[in-house]
């Protein structure tokens, strides 16, 4: 295992019994270097949950250009032939299916609000519906107001609206934040905003997130039961964003005093870019290429 430089704090381990609740990105072991991950998976089956942007594709200037490469597609398909694989994205699931070119996987789109399994169809849950009119109204409001701010991009989604400001002049970005605050204030208690990479995600204020979606999927897909070879399942979640922390936490909390295998959270980030980033992940991968190598290793 790679041990970060000694600064007086205990080094981070991927072993669940010694893992603190959170750490910082620069203190995480590297997922390709640590034998502890292979150890945790020995005699067990992985179930892999994959965020899309920043994990399966690099972050690019325009959302519509984040197309998964043929190579990554091949790796994901090979992995899906060996174990359960689901994509869990902030994007709409139809968009994930289109950009990834993979339509035979379980996809939890719209931050887990909209889940679909090619075998079971739409997977219902407590946050599946009831917010449609609110989201439609807010999308229109944001679209109209954002047209006055140069460089904004509005991405309407199934259960949210994303207001991108990557191409807004830095001194104009406070106007975007003020617009988001205004919209939230117009719907007291009904909306929440989740931060992302140069994007404000306005969603219904419902206690639902990627962590809850992953936990729900583990139940629906019956992953807490041994597989046909009698192996227990270790869920693994790979993500790069703040919204992925809900999933890291959900997996870290599993197995605490119950019969289930605790999961592994893998943060995809170059720790040099965000050394102080607090995380509940258990290991790190620095790039999308490293994600490919890690998944390729799991698929063999
Ligand atoms: O949960 P994810 O699959 O990671 O999706 C998060 C958001 O990703 C997209 O926006 C981000 O990636 C774009 C392409 O690299 C980039 O141009 C943008 O600046 C990023 O914020 C997507 O457009 C959003 O809807 C997702 O919620």
């Amino acid at each position: 295992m790679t041990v970060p430089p000694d600064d007086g704090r205990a080094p981070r381990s991927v072993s669940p019994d010694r893992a603190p609740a959170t750490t910082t990105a620069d203190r995480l072991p590297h997922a390709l270097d640590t034998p502890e991950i292979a150890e945790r998976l020995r005699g067990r089956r992985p179930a892999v949950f994959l965020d899309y942007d920043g994990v399966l594709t690099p972050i690019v200037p325009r959302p519509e250009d984040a197309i998964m490469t043929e190579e990554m597609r091949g790796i994901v398909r090979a992995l899906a032939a060996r174990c359960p694989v689901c994509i869990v994205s902030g994007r709409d699931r139809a968009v994930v299916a289109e950009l990834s070119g993979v339509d035979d996987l379980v996809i939890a789109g719209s931050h887990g609000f909209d889940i679909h399994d090619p075998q079971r169809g739409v997977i219902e849950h407590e946050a599946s519906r009831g917010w449609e009119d609110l989201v439609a109204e807010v999308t229109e409001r944001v679209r109209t107001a954002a047209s006055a701010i140069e460089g904004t991009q509005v991405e309407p989604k199934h259960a949210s609206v994303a207001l991108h400001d990557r191409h807004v002049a830095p001194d104009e970005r406070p106007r975007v934040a003020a617009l988001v605050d205004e919209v939230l204030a117009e719907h007291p208690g009904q909306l929440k905003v989740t931060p992302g990479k140069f994007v404000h995600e306005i969603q219904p204020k419902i206690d639902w997130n990627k962590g809850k979606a992953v936990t729900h999927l583990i139940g629906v897909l019956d992953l807490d039961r041994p597989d046909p070879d009698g192996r227990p399942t270790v869920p693994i979640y790979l993500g790069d964003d703040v919204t992925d922390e809900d999933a890291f936490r959900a997996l870290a909390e599993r197995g605490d005093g119950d019969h289930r295998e605790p999961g592994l959270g893998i943060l995809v980030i170059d720790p040099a870019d965000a050394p102080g980033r607090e995380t509940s992940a258990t290991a790190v991968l620095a790039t999308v290429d490293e994600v490919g190598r890690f998944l390729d290793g799991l698929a063999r």
Side-chain angles (χ1 to χ4, degrees), residues 51 53 59-60 89-90 155 157 164 166 197 201 210:
D51 177 35
D53 292 276
I59 295 295
V60 292
S89 174
E155 185 185 354
K157 299 201 264 187
H164 293 266
R166 183 177 290 277
K197 293 176 173 165
E201 295 266 3
K210 289 180 170 186

Side-chain angles (χ1 to χ4, degrees), residues 51-54 57-64 66 88-92 96 111 155 157 162 164 166 196-199 201 210 240-241 243-244:
D51 177 35
Y52 187 74
D53 292 276
T57 58
I59 295 295
V60 292
R62 298 186 327 151
E64 57 273 33
V88 184
S89 174
R91 293 194 187 242
D92 269 355
V96 174
H111 295 279
E155 185 185 354
K157 299 201 264 187
H164 293 266
R166 183 177 290 277
K197 293 176 173 165
F198 294 100
V199 64
E201 295 266 3
K210 289 180 170 186
D240 68 320
D241 240 323
T243 55
D244 299 310

Side-chain angles (χ1 to χ4, degrees), residues 154-167:
V154 177
E155 185 185 354
K157 299 201 264 187
H158 182 75
S160 67
V161 54
L163 176 55
H164 293 266
D165 62 2
R166 183 177 290 277
H167 302 293

Side-chain angles (χ1 to χ4, degrees), residues 145-205:
S147 64
I149 308 174
E150 202 182 327
T152 51
Q153 182 172 1
V154 177
E155 185 185 354
K157 299 201 264 187
H158 182 75
S160 67
V161 54
L163 176 55
H164 293 266
D165 62 2
R166 183 177 290 277
H167 302 293
V168 173
D171 60 348
E172 287 285 279
R173 286 194 189 125
R175 284 180 67 198
V176 179
L179 163 58
V180 171
D181 288 346
E182 239 173 72
V183 171
L184 259 65
E186 287 163 10
H187 298 273
Q190 288 187 289
L191 297 171
K192 63 181 176 184
V193 62
T194 54
K197 293 176 173 165
F198 294 100
V199 64
H200 304 264
E201 295 266 3
I202 305 176
Q203 297 176 296
K205 192 171 183 178

Side-chain angles (χ1 to χ4, degrees), residues 5 7-8 17 20 118 135-136 145 152 184 197 203 233 259 266 274 282 287 297:
D7 63 1
D17 51 344
V135 169
T152 51
L184 259 65
K197 293 176 173 165
Q203 297 176 296
T233 300
H259 65 284
I266 299 185
T282 40
T287 62

Side-chain angles (χ1 to χ4, degrees), residues 265-284:
I266 299 185
L267 176 62
V268 182
I269 201 171
D270 183 343
D273 292 342
R277 152 98 183 243
E278 281 286 329
T279 180
S280 299
T282 40
V284 71

